[in-house]
Amino acid sequence: MGDGILMSERALRLFEKEAMGGIAFSHPVRIVRALRLRRYREPIGEIPPYFYVRLSRTGAAIDYEASGLVSTGGPSGCPECHSFRGVMQKLDRLEILPGTWTGEDFFRIRGFTGDQCITDRAHAVFKANNITGVKWIRNTEVMYRATSYKPNT
């Protein structure tokens, strides 16, 4: 799905109502088939409308030093992608390079692919309105250690 995610119509309308920023575009998707996990016995029922939502490209970039990121090749030095070379070995938390975030409520961090980020404001709105099906992790709780990582001693 690239830079996009699936979002329920209820979550998308809430996002729009609260005038949160960070969505480039959205369009409806058709759910062809849905299966219930075996441990749930009740039928699925009617599936609500869902939308493919593409996040805006933002300037938010990972702060390697503040995040405690160590990779096998170090920072790439590319001001556009802000990625790192090699394989990530360690990450202590997820911090944004000061001056790179432009205020979006939904965004990705350049140099840290795969995860979407939201602001505390967006989290509070979604939590207050019981938006489910999402795992919320605070940036200070993001942590990674490769099994092969050995700190320099």
Side-chain angles (χ1 to χ4, degrees):
M1 286 197 321
D3 288 341
I5 59 172
L6 286 181
M7 185 180 278
S8 70
E9 181 179 40
R10 186 170 76 90
L12 181 61
R13 298 302 168 234
L14 181 63
F15 192 90
E16 293 167 346
K17 177 183 158 208
E18 296 293 328
M20 292 188 265
I23 293 180
F25 71 85
S26 65
H27 61 83
V29 296
R30 186 171 66 105
I31 306 294
V32 178
R33 183 176 166 197
L35 301 174
R36 171 78 64 189
L37 295 175
R38 287 184 195 180
R39 66 179 173 230
Y40 299 106
R41 298 188 189 247
E42 66 273 1
I44 291 177
E46 187 175 337
I47 299 170
Y50 276 84
F51 286 78
Y52 172 77
V53 174
R54 178 139 188 241
L55 304 180
S56 301
R57 295 271 181 187
T58 69
I62 191 168
D63 185 329
Y64 295 111
E65 190 173 325
S67 297
L69 191 145
V70 174
S71 71
T72 57
S76 70
C78 175
E80 183 58 34
C81 70
H82 208 74
S83 64
F84 55 88
R85 293 186 184 117
V87 177
M88 182 175 16
Q89 296 293 301
K90 174 180 94 78
L91 182 72
D92 293 330
R93 71 198 138 286
L94 195 53
E95 296 290 337
I96 299 171
L97 194 63
T100 61
W101 177 64
T102 53
E104 299 81 5
D105 290 291
F106 236 116
F107 59 99
R108 287 182 182 268
I109 298 177
R110 289 183 299 136
F112 191 76
T113 59
D115 292 323
Q116 297 82 27
C117 299
I118 64 170
T119 60
D120 286 339
R121 176 176 94 99
H123 178 257
V125 167
F126 286 159
K127 192 170 182 180
N129 288 277
N130 199 29
I131 299 297
T132 60
V134 178
K135 174 113 173 129
W136 308 110
I137 303 172
R138 293 203 58 81
N139 68 312
T140 54
E141 297 171 3
V142 173
M143 184 187 223
Y144 175 79
R145 295 287 187 279
T147 54
S148 62
Y149 176 68
K150 306 235 182 324
N152 294 336
T153 54

